[in-house]
Amino acid sequence: MPPREPSESRHHSIGPTTFAEKDLSYYLRMIRGDFAELEEVQSMKIAGPASQKNIIILFRSDSIGDIKGELGKRLVRFFLQSLINSRIKPKAIILMASAVNLALDGSDAMGKLAILEEQGIKIMVCALSCDELECEENVKIGVLSDMDSICENIMNAWKVISL
């Protein structure tokens, strides 16, 4: 074994390792209970290119919020565009009630939904809503889904975001 340099022996200590102020990026977090959501957040930080999460986005209207008219519809388009650009993708988008209008021929959002579908996101269009609104034949994007399929997807999701 080669002889130890004198400068090495000055830097070694017996006892617990301590972190200097510059090393504050290291920390310990203790969590009680279910930590699946934290693991999901941590994997989002580590993930490189786009990754799909077991998240469902549920649209109940063709506009976001209680806003009727053009602003609510613009919010939907901007949200979908942000989702297209996002690294994190949901597993599915469910369109129920008047949100089925987003999947109809001529909808301003249809192109964005088509891109999301190409990115691997399942677009589920509520068949019951389409039947009630008599627009089944005009659905141009996504898959007509019965309530059993919609319910199963929602119940198996880690998180459901309702807009």
Side-chain angles (χ1 to χ4, degrees):
M1 179 180 235
R4 200 181 266 186
E5 303 246 346
S7 63
E8 266 187 25
S9 62
R10 279 186 263 149
H11 293 295
H12 290 286
S13 65
I14 304 173
T17 304
T18 59
F19 296 101
E21 222 173 68
K22 66 180 183 177
D23 294 329
L24 288 178
S25 61
Y26 296 97
Y27 61 92
L28 175 65
R29 178 183 275 173
M30 296 178 71
I31 299 168
R32 171 183 253 167
D34 185 18
F35 53 89
E37 184 175 328
L38 178 66
E39 287 177 343
E40 178 185 349
V41 170
Q42 185 61 30
S43 67
M44 285 191 276
K45 291 179 184 174
I46 295 170
S51 61
Q52 192 175 66
K53 302 295 174 191
N54 192 3
I55 296 171
I56 302 286
I57 297 177
L58 172 64
F59 282 92
R60 299 174 300 164
S61 172
D62 57 357
S63 63
I64 289 181
D66 295 333
I67 304 164
K68 297 295 179 197
E70 188 55 34
L71 177 58
K73 293 176 192 261
R74 283 182 59 212
L75 288 172
V76 168
R77 291 192 305 269
F78 278 98
F79 179 83
L80 293 175
Q81 184 62 51
S82 295
L83 197 54
I84 288 168
N85 299 333
S86 176
R87 269 188 19 211
I88 308 304
K89 306 291 183 194
K91 176 182 172 186
I93 293 174
I94 298 174
L95 307 175
M96 295 181 97
S98 67
V100 298
N101 291 322
L102 299 172
L104 299 182
D105 191 23
S107 162
D108 292 337
M110 192 179 73
K112 296 183 186 324
L113 288 171
I115 293 169
L116 290 166
E117 193 171 52
E118 287 173 11
Q119 291 179 344
I121 298 170
K122 185 186 332 179
I123 309 295
M124 301 175 72
V125 182
C126 176
L128 183 60
S129 299
C130 285
D131 187 45
E132 186 68 28
L133 296 172
E134 299 176 355
C135 63
E136 242 177 275
E137 287 116 27
N138 296 328
V139 173
K140 298 297 179 194
I141 195 76
V143 176
L144 284 174
S145 303
D146 62 11
M147 199 53 73
D148 290 338
S149 178
I150 290 171
C151 184
E152 180 180 338
N153 276 269
I154 288 173
M155 296 308 292
N156 285 315
W158 289 342
K159 185 182 294 183
V160 177
I161 300 169
S162 181
L163 298 173

